Amino acid sequence: MEKDLNRYAYDLQSPKARNRKLSGGKAANLNQLINLGHLVPPGIVVSTLSFDRFLDDNNLRTKIRRSLSRIRLDNHDTISLASRTIKAYIDEALIPDIVRVKVMKLITSKLGETLAVRSSATAEDSRNSSWAGLFDSYLEISKQDVFEYIKKTWASYFNARAISYNLKTYKGIGNYSFAVIVQNMINSEKSGIAFSINPESKDQNKIVIEATAGLGEQLVSGKRKPVALVLDKSRLTLTKSFSPHLKKLLSLNEVTELGSRTKMLERQFKMPVDIEWAIEGKKLFILQVRPITALTKSRGRIAKSTNYPLISDYELTFKVTGLSFLFADMLFEGFKYLNPLFTSLDGKFAQYFSNDKMEYAAQYGLEWLSKSEGFEEYQKEFTQFYNQNAQTMDRIIRAKRINAAASNRFFAILSRLFRYYSKTDNEFTNLTYIYSENNQALKKNLVKLAKFKDHARLWINQTFLAEESQLSQLLQRLSSDFGIDVTTLENYRVSELAELFVGARVPSSKIVSRQLSFSMYLASGKQTYLIGTRSENFIKSINAAEQKSALAEIKGQVANKGPRTVSGVVRVINVDYGNVDSLDREIAQMKKGEILVAEFTAPELMVACKKAKAIITDIGGMLSHAAIVSRELGIPCIVGTANATKALATGDSVMMDFELGVISKIPYGGEI
């Protein structure tokens, strides 16, 4: 008798639990987790033999087959009817005493008062199909109600969605194989899921973690929006795509442990996996592991006939008015390693870098600035380069004659100068601020870098932007030597300036087209140009795509934390270097205590920053002008929202949440 009883239910740690035919896929995977040393909530398996006994003792097999035989493949209503009918049969039937006795004996001896009752079909969580979310599980069930919920879980085998998922299984089935797991309920403080690859992009070098406070059931069912994190699998560090909600929910140690455990499980199961996890106290429990079955290679993006880049593959990093074609061409060479996309229409220049290179920069910055000597080495190398080459550029400018080689050398220096300077920008430093709390070397280097950036910016101004900058002096020399006005030369490529020395000139029609609009990007590793109408149409398509982001949630990185929330009226102002008078008028119209919203801030907006109650920007990170100024002035600030200036207008009332990094509109008439 006891031997018979042991067939119907047994401990999740039992060797029987490894048998998928007896225990189902979920229980078999949990048993494997236990044997591999992972922490799994204590539980028992109510085996497929219990389900068989239940069906046979209640004469349900014939009734179920009859209901399933009436299903029509092209009619979902017939599936729904069969599902409801079979569930009613199961609800009315009684669990055999022999099963009840064994199950209750195990629960009483091994489990607590509050339980989780979970499905474990033989096909579930297999290598070929996951059946994810098709069967029902129940949480926070009392010991007294456990048999009611075991029946409900059995009945979920015949959910309409499960039958629809694999109708062939149900039409041809002879023996219904379905087990149930009963486990101690974990009082999780935080829980979620993790994927050992990025399930959307199929990128096997990434780990994706989704987390929520409390129980993970609402996350899995889609009822609660998760905090989503992406890790670099090799380093187990966050990519640039970290959530502003992160610090509120998971510590960096917990993020690293989750990434490490997910990576370990992929290695142990010898395939990409997704897991469900929960943290109770300081313990990380694994609630489920299953193979990621949908791993067919993505076909990739269908190239349009134009072969233009897709803006969804890029991130906007900077905007300015009045940047010339020549300057952009020189800048492109310096930033080529970040796969840039530059656009300019009506004098409005935008700088984008590709998403994968933004991630590269984030990881590079974290690694570089985490070394105690990392910043000093960079500062020394950059300083030596500038000092030596500033003199070289001066010699070129003062030379009696400038030749093609000297012109090329001059612009090569400029490009390298910007490459050095780029290391101070947001893409290299944003992620470092997340890790700086636990890394003293990183924290010290960030302080040093912030100070050095101000110094390096002076070099940039002296070289490029000041009225008598070295670039301006060179162009004046070339203008004088070749009888071409500076404005025209500013629409040459760098290589075309060198061709002046052999008598070649750019046709005026090209100059006019470049003045109208230009775009630059890499195609198959080669710098590619669009000018005139072609560029204009390309940029308009980008603007249309970006405008859709106005409907998205406004969230960013908290650069300077205020109280939990700050509410106020918005004032949208953007820097326009080409129209200082208009900018001054907008700043004058701003009222003290309004919330400044801008694509980014610059010294020209300093008066507006001082008037502001808080600052919100589209672009920028923890070393951006807005972030630094907000900390100096003690003004709350959220940066890098991407869409604040599109989603908000002057006069809107908003609430800024500094725990979540989220900005919400307050409806007209709402409380501020």
Side-chain angles (χ1 to χ4, degrees), residues 470-526:
Q470 290 162 306
L471 175 60
S472 174
Q473 291 179 58
L474 178 76
L475 291 179
Q476 288 168 9
R477 282 290 312 271
L478 295 177
S479 173
S480 175
D481 289 352
F482 294 101
I484 303 173
D485 64 85
V486 170
T487 303
T488 299
L489 290 177
E490 286 176 342
N491 286 283
Y492 272 56
R493 297 183 192 176
V494 170
S495 60
E496 290 167 346
L497 290 179
E499 291 170 0
L500 287 170
F501 296 93
V502 293
R505 298 200 176 199
V506 177
S508 60
S509 58
K510 279 192 175 182
I511 298 296
V512 171
S513 291
R514 291 170 182 177
Q515 287 173 326
L516 170 67
S517 179
F518 63 82
S519 301
M520 303 176 187
Y521 56 90
L522 287 176
S524 302
K526 181 180 179 182

Coordinates of all heavy atoms in Angstrom, one line a residue, residues 470-526:
Q470 N 42.0 78.6 -34.3 CA 43.0 78.1 -35.3 C 42.3 77.6 -36.5 O 42.9 77.8 -37.6 CB 43.8 76.9 -34.6 CG 44.8 77.5 -33.5 CD 45.2 76.4 -32.6 OE1 44.4 75.6 -32.0 NE2 46.5 76.2 -32.4
L471 N 41.1 77.0 -36.4 CA 40.4 76.6 -37.6 C 40.0 77.8 -38.5 O 40.2 77.8 -39.7 CB 39.2 75.8 -37.2 CG 38.2 75.4 -38.4 CD1 38.9 74.5 -39.4 CD2 37.0 74.7 -37.8
S472 N 39.5 78.8 -37.8 CA 39.2 80.0 -38.5 C 40.3 80.7 -39.2 O 40.3 81.1 -40.4 CB 38.6 81.0 -37.5 OG 38.3 82.3 -38.1
Q473 N 41.5 80.7 -38.6 CA 42.7 81.3 -39.2 C 43.1 80.5 -40.4 O 43.6 81.0 -41.4 CB 43.8 81.3 -38.1 CG 43.6 82.3 -37.0 CD 44.7 82.3 -36.0 OE1 45.9 82.5 -36.4 NE2 44.4 82.0 -34.8
L474 N 43.1 79.1 -40.3 CA 43.4 78.3 -41.5 C 42.5 78.6 -42.6 O 43.0 78.8 -43.8 CB 43.4 76.8 -41.1 CG 43.7 75.9 -42.3 CD1 45.3 75.9 -42.6 CD2 43.3 74.5 -42.1
L475 N 41.2 78.7 -42.4 CA 40.3 78.9 -43.5 C 40.5 80.3 -44.1 O 40.4 80.5 -45.3 CB 38.8 78.8 -43.0 CG 38.4 77.3 -42.6 CD1 37.0 77.3 -42.1 CD2 38.5 76.4 -43.8
Q476 N 40.9 81.3 -43.3 CA 41.2 82.6 -43.8 C 42.4 82.6 -44.7 O 42.4 83.2 -45.8 CB 41.3 83.6 -42.7 CG 40.0 83.9 -42.0 CD 40.3 84.7 -40.7 OE1 41.4 85.1 -40.3 NE2 39.2 84.8 -39.9
R477 N 43.4 81.8 -44.3 CA 44.6 81.6 -45.2 C 44.2 81.0 -46.5 O 44.7 81.5 -47.6 CB 45.7 80.8 -44.5 CG 46.4 81.5 -43.4 CD 47.4 82.5 -44.0 NE 48.2 82.0 -45.1 CZ 49.4 81.4 -44.9 NH1 49.9 81.3 -43.7 NH2 50.1 81.0 -46.0
L478 N 43.5 79.9 -46.4 CA 43.1 79.2 -47.7 C 42.2 80.1 -48.6 O 42.3 80.1 -49.8 CB 42.4 77.9 -47.4 CG 43.2 76.8 -46.6 CD1 42.3 75.6 -46.3 CD2 44.4 76.4 -47.5
S479 N 41.3 80.9 -47.9 CA 40.5 81.8 -48.7 C 41.3 82.8 -49.4 O 41.1 83.1 -50.6 CB 39.5 82.5 -47.7 OG 38.8 83.5 -48.4
S480 N 42.3 83.3 -48.8 CA 43.2 84.3 -49.4 C 44.1 83.7 -50.5 O 44.2 84.3 -51.6 CB 44.1 84.9 -48.3 OG 45.1 85.8 -48.9
D481 N 44.6 82.5 -50.2 CA 45.5 81.8 -51.2 C 44.7 81.4 -52.5 O 45.3 81.5 -53.6 CB 46.1 80.6 -50.6 CG 47.1 80.9 -49.5 OD1 47.5 82.1 -49.4 OD2 47.6 80.0 -48.8
F482 N 43.4 81.0 -52.4 CA 42.7 80.5 -53.5 C 41.6 81.4 -54.0 O 40.9 81.1 -55.0 CB 42.2 79.1 -53.2 CG 43.3 78.1 -53.0 CD1 43.6 77.7 -51.7 CD2 43.9 77.5 -54.1 CE1 44.6 76.8 -51.5 CE2 45.0 76.6 -53.9 CZ 45.3 76.2 -52.6
G483 N 41.4 82.5 -53.3 CA 40.4 83.4 -53.8 C 39.0 82.9 -53.7 O 38.1 83.2 -54.5
I484 N 38.7 82.1 -52.6 CA 37.4 81.5 -52.4 C 37.0 82.0 -51.0 O 37.7 81.9 -50.0 CB 37.5 80.0 -52.4 CG1 38.0 79.4 -53.7 CG2 36.1 79.4 -52.1 CD1 38.2 77.9 -53.8
D485 N 35.7 82.5 -50.9 CA 35.3 83.1 -49.6 C 35.2 81.9 -48.6 O 34.9 80.8 -49.0 CB 34.0 83.8 -49.8 CG 32.8 83.0 -50.2 OD1 32.2 82.4 -49.3 OD2 32.6 82.9 -51.4
V486 N 35.3 82.3 -47.3 CA 35.3 81.3 -46.2 C 34.0 80.5 -46.2 O 34.0 79.3 -45.9 CB 35.6 82.0 -44.9 CG1 35.3 81.1 -43.7 CG2 37.0 82.6 -44.9
T487 N 32.9 81.2 -46.4 CA 31.6 80.5 -46.4 C 31.5 79.4 -47.4 O 30.9 78.3 -47.1 CB 30.4 81.6 -46.7 OG1 30.5 82.6 -45.8 CG2 29.1 80.9 -46.6
T488 N 32.1 79.6 -48.5 CA 32.1 78.5 -49.5 C 33.0 77.4 -49.1 O 32.7 76.2 -49.2 CB 32.6 79.1 -50.9 OG1 31.7 80.1 -51.3 CG2 32.7 77.9 -51.9
L489 N 34.2 77.7 -48.5 CA 35.1 76.7 -48.1 C 34.5 75.9 -46.9 O 34.8 74.7 -46.8 CB 36.4 77.3 -47.6 CG 37.4 78.0 -48.6 CD1 38.5 78.6 -47.9 CD2 37.8 76.9 -49.6
E490 N 33.6 76.5 -46.1 CA 33.0 75.7 -45.1 C 32.0 74.7 -45.6 O 31.5 73.9 -44.8 CB 32.2 76.7 -44.2 CG 33.2 77.5 -43.3 CD 32.4 78.6 -42.4 OE1 31.3 78.9 -42.8 OE2 33.0 79.0 -41.5
N491 N 31.8 74.6 -46.9 CA 31.0 73.6 -47.5 C 31.8 72.6 -48.4 O 31.3 71.9 -49.2 CB 29.9 74.2 -48.3 CG 28.8 74.8 -47.4 OD1 28.0 74.1 -46.9 ND2 28.8 76.1 -47.3
Y492 N 33.1 72.6 -48.1 CA 34.0 71.6 -48.7 C 34.2 70.4 -47.8 O 34.0 70.5 -46.6 CB 35.4 72.2 -49.0 CG 35.6 72.9 -50.3 CD1 34.7 73.9 -50.7 CD2 36.6 72.5 -51.2 CE1 34.9 74.6 -51.9 CE2 36.8 73.2 -52.4 CZ 35.9 74.2 -52.8 OH 36.1 74.9 -54.0
R493 N 34.5 69.2 -48.4 CA 35.0 68.1 -47.6 C 36.5 68.4 -47.2 O 37.1 69.2 -47.9 CB 35.0 66.8 -48.3 CG 33.6 66.3 -48.8 CD 33.7 65.0 -49.4 NE 32.5 64.6 -50.1 CZ 32.4 63.4 -50.9 NH1 33.5 62.7 -51.0 NH2 31.3 63.1 -51.4
V494 N 36.9 67.8 -46.2 CA 38.4 67.9 -45.8 C 39.2 67.5 -47.0 O 40.2 68.2 -47.3 CB 38.7 67.1 -44.6 CG1 40.2 67.0 -44.3 CG2 38.0 67.6 -43.3
S495 N 38.9 66.4 -47.6 CA 39.7 65.9 -48.8 C 39.7 66.9 -49.9 O 40.7 67.0 -50.7 CB 39.2 64.5 -49.2 OG 37.9 64.6 -49.6
E496 N 38.6 67.6 -50.1 CA 38.5 68.5 -51.2 C 39.3 69.8 -51.0 O 39.7 70.4 -51.9 CB 37.0 68.9 -51.4 CG 36.1 67.8 -51.9 CD 34.6 68.0 -51.8 OE1 34.2 68.9 -51.1 OE2 33.9 67.3 -52.5
L497 N 39.6 70.1 -49.7 CA 40.5 71.3 -49.5 C 41.9 70.9 -50.0 O 42.6 71.8 -50.5 CB 40.5 71.6 -48.0 CG 39.3 72.2 -47.3 CD1 39.5 72.4 -45.8 CD2 38.9 73.5 -48.0
A498 N 42.3 69.7 -49.7 CA 43.6 69.3 -50.2 C 43.7 69.3 -51.8 O 44.8 69.6 -52.3 CB 43.9 67.9 -49.7
E499 N 42.5 69.0 -52.4 CA 42.5 69.0 -53.9 C 42.6 70.4 -54.5 O 42.9 70.6 -55.7 CB 41.3 68.3 -54.4 CG 41.3 66.8 -54.1 CD 39.9 66.1 -54.3 OE1 39.0 66.9 -54.7 OE2 39.8 64.9 -54.1
L500 N 42.4 71.5 -53.6 CA 42.6 72.8 -54.1 C 44.0 73.0 -54.6 O 44.2 73.8 -55.6 CB 42.3 73.8 -53.0 CG 40.8 74.0 -52.6 CD1 40.7 74.9 -51.3 CD2 40.0 74.7 -53.7
F501 N 45.0 72.3 -54.0 CA 46.4 72.6 -54.3 C 46.7 72.0 -55.7 O 47.8 72.2 -56.2 CB 47.3 72.0 -53.3 CG 47.1 72.7 -51.9 CD1 46.2 72.2 -51.0 CD2 47.8 73.8 -51.6 CE1 46.0 72.8 -49.8 CE2 47.6 74.4 -50.4 CZ 46.7 74.0 -49.5
V502 N 45.8 71.2 -56.3 CA 46.1 70.7 -57.7 C 45.1 71.2 -58.6 O 44.8 70.7 -59.7 CB 46.0 69.1 -57.7 CG1 47.2 68.5 -56.9 CG2 44.7 68.6 -57.2
G503 N 44.4 72.3 -58.2 CA 43.5 73.1 -59.1 C 42.1 72.6 -59.1 O 41.3 73.2 -59.9
A504 N 41.7 71.7 -58.3 CA 40.3 71.2 -58.3 C 39.4 72.0 -57.4 O 39.9 72.5 -56.4 CB 40.2 69.7 -57.9
R505 N 38.2 72.3 -57.9 CA 37.3 73.1 -57.1 C 35.9 72.4 -57.1 O 35.6 71.7 -58.0 CB 37.1 74.5 -57.6 CG 38.4 75.3 -57.6 CD 38.2 76.8 -57.7 NE 39.5 77.5 -57.5 CZ 39.5 78.8 -57.2 NH1 38.4 79.5 -56.9 NH2 40.7 79.4 -57.1
V506 N 35.1 72.6 -56.0 CA 33.8 72.0 -55.9 C 32.8 72.8 -56.7 O 32.8 74.0 -56.5 CB 33.4 71.9 -54.4 CG1 32.0 71.3 -54.3 CG2 34.4 71.0 -53.6
P507 N 32.0 72.2 -57.6 CA 31.0 73.0 -58.3 C 30.1 73.7 -57.4 O 29.7 73.2 -56.3 CB 30.3 71.9 -59.1 CG 31.2 70.7 -59.2 CD 32.0 70.8 -57.9
S508 N 29.6 74.9 -57.8 CA 28.8 75.7 -57.0 C 27.4 75.0 -56.7 O 26.8 75.3 -55.7 CB 28.5 77.0 -57.7 OG 27.9 76.8 -59.0
S509 N 27.0 74.1 -57.6 CA 25.7 73.4 -57.4 C 25.8 72.5 -56.2 O 24.8 72.4 -55.4 CB 25.3 72.6 -58.6 OG 26.4 71.7 -58.9
K510 N 27.0 71.9 -56.0 CA 27.2 71.1 -54.8 C 27.2 71.9 -53.5 O 26.7 71.5 -52.5 CB 28.4 70.2 -54.9 CG 28.3 69.0 -55.7 CD 29.5 68.1 -55.5 CE 29.3 66.8 -56.3 NZ 30.5 65.9 -56.1
I511 N 27.8 73.1 -53.6 CA 27.9 74.0 -52.5 C 26.5 74.4 -52.0 O 26.2 74.3 -50.8 CB 28.7 75.2 -52.8 CG1 30.2 74.8 -53.2 CG2 28.7 76.2 -51.6 CD1 31.0 74.2 -52.0
V512 N 25.7 74.7 -53.0 CA 24.3 75.1 -52.7 C 23.5 74.0 -52.0 O 22.8 74.2 -51.1 CB 23.6 75.6 -54.0 CG1 22.1 75.8 -53.7 CG2 24.2 76.9 -54.5
S513 N 23.7 72.8 -52.6 CA 23.0 71.6 -52.0 C 23.4 71.3 -50.6 O 22.6 71.0 -49.7 CB 23.2 70.4 -52.9 OG 22.6 70.5 -54.1
R514 N 24.7 71.4 -50.3 CA 25.2 71.2 -49.0 C 24.7 72.3 -48.0 O 24.5 72.0 -46.8 CB 26.8 71.1 -49.0 CG 27.3 69.9 -49.7 CD 28.8 70.0 -49.9 NE 29.3 68.8 -50.7 CZ 30.6 68.7 -51.0 NH1 31.5 69.6 -50.8 NH2 30.9 67.6 -51.7
Q515 N 24.6 73.5 -48.5 CA 24.1 74.5 -47.6 C 22.6 74.3 -47.3 O 22.2 74.6 -46.2 CB 24.2 75.9 -48.3 CG 25.6 76.4 -48.4 CD 25.8 77.7 -49.2 OE1 25.1 77.9 -50.2 NE2 26.7 78.5 -48.8
L516 N 21.9 73.7 -48.2 CA 20.5 73.4 -47.9 C 20.3 72.3 -46.9 O 19.6 72.4 -45.9 CB 19.8 72.9 -49.2 CG 18.4 72.3 -49.1 CD1 17.4 73.4 -48.6 CD2 17.9 71.7 -50.4
S517 N 21.0 71.2 -47.1 CA 20.9 70.0 -46.2 C 22.1 69.0 -46.5 O 22.5 68.9 -47.6 CB 19.6 69.3 -46.4 OG 19.5 68.2 -45.5
F518 N 22.5 68.4 -45.4 CA 23.5 67.3 -45.6 C 23.3 66.2 -44.5 O 22.8 66.5 -43.4 CB 24.9 67.7 -45.6 CG 25.4 68.4 -44.3 CD1 25.8 67.6 -43.3 CD2 25.5 69.8 -44.2 CE1 26.3 68.2 -42.1 CE2 25.9 70.3 -43.0 CZ 26.3 69.5 -41.9
S519 N 23.6 65.0 -44.9 CA 23.7 63.9 -43.9 C 24.9 63.0 -44.2 O 25.3 62.9 -45.3 CB 22.4 63.0 -44.1 OG 21.2 63.7 -43.9
M520 N 25.5 62.5 -43.1 CA 26.7 61.7 -43.2 C 26.5 60.4 -42.4 O 26.0 60.5 -41.2 CB 27.9 62.4 -42.8 CG 28.2 63.7 -43.5 SD 29.6 64.6 -42.7 CE 29.5 66.2 -43.6
Y521 N 26.9 59.3 -42.9 CA 26.8 58.0 -42.1 C 27.7 57.0 -42.7 O 28.3 57.2 -43.8 CB 25.4 57.5 -42.1 CG 24.7 57.3 -43.4 CD1 24.8 56.0 -44.1 CD2 24.0 58.3 -44.0 CE1 24.2 55.8 -45.3 CE2 23.4 58.1 -45.3 CZ 23.5 56.9 -45.9 OH 23.0 56.7 -47.1
L522 N 27.9 55.9 -42.0 CA 28.8 54.8 -42.5 C 27.9 53.8 -43.2 O 26.9 53.4 -42.7 CB 29.5 54.1 -41.4 CG 30.7 54.9 -40.8 CD1 31.3 54.1 -39.6 CD2 31.8 55.2 -41.8
A523 N 28.3 53.4 -44.4 CA 27.6 52.3 -45.1 C 28.7 51.3 -45.6 O 29.6 51.7 -46.3 CB 26.8 52.8 -46.3
S524 N 28.7 50.1 -45.0 CA 29.7 49.1 -45.3 C 31.1 49.6 -45.0 O 32.1 49.4 -45.7 CB 29.6 48.7 -46.8 OG 28.4 48.1 -47.1
G525 N 31.2 50.4 -43.9 CA 32.4 50.9 -43.4 C 32.9 52.1 -44.1 O 34.0 52.7 -43.8
K526 N 32.2 52.6 -45.1 CA 32.6 53.8 -45.9 C 31.7 55.0 -45.5 O 30.5 54.9 -45.4 CB 32.5 53.5 -47.3 CG 32.9 54.6 -48.3 CD 32.8 54.2 -49.7 CE 33.2 55.3 -50.7 NZ 33.0 54.9 -52.1

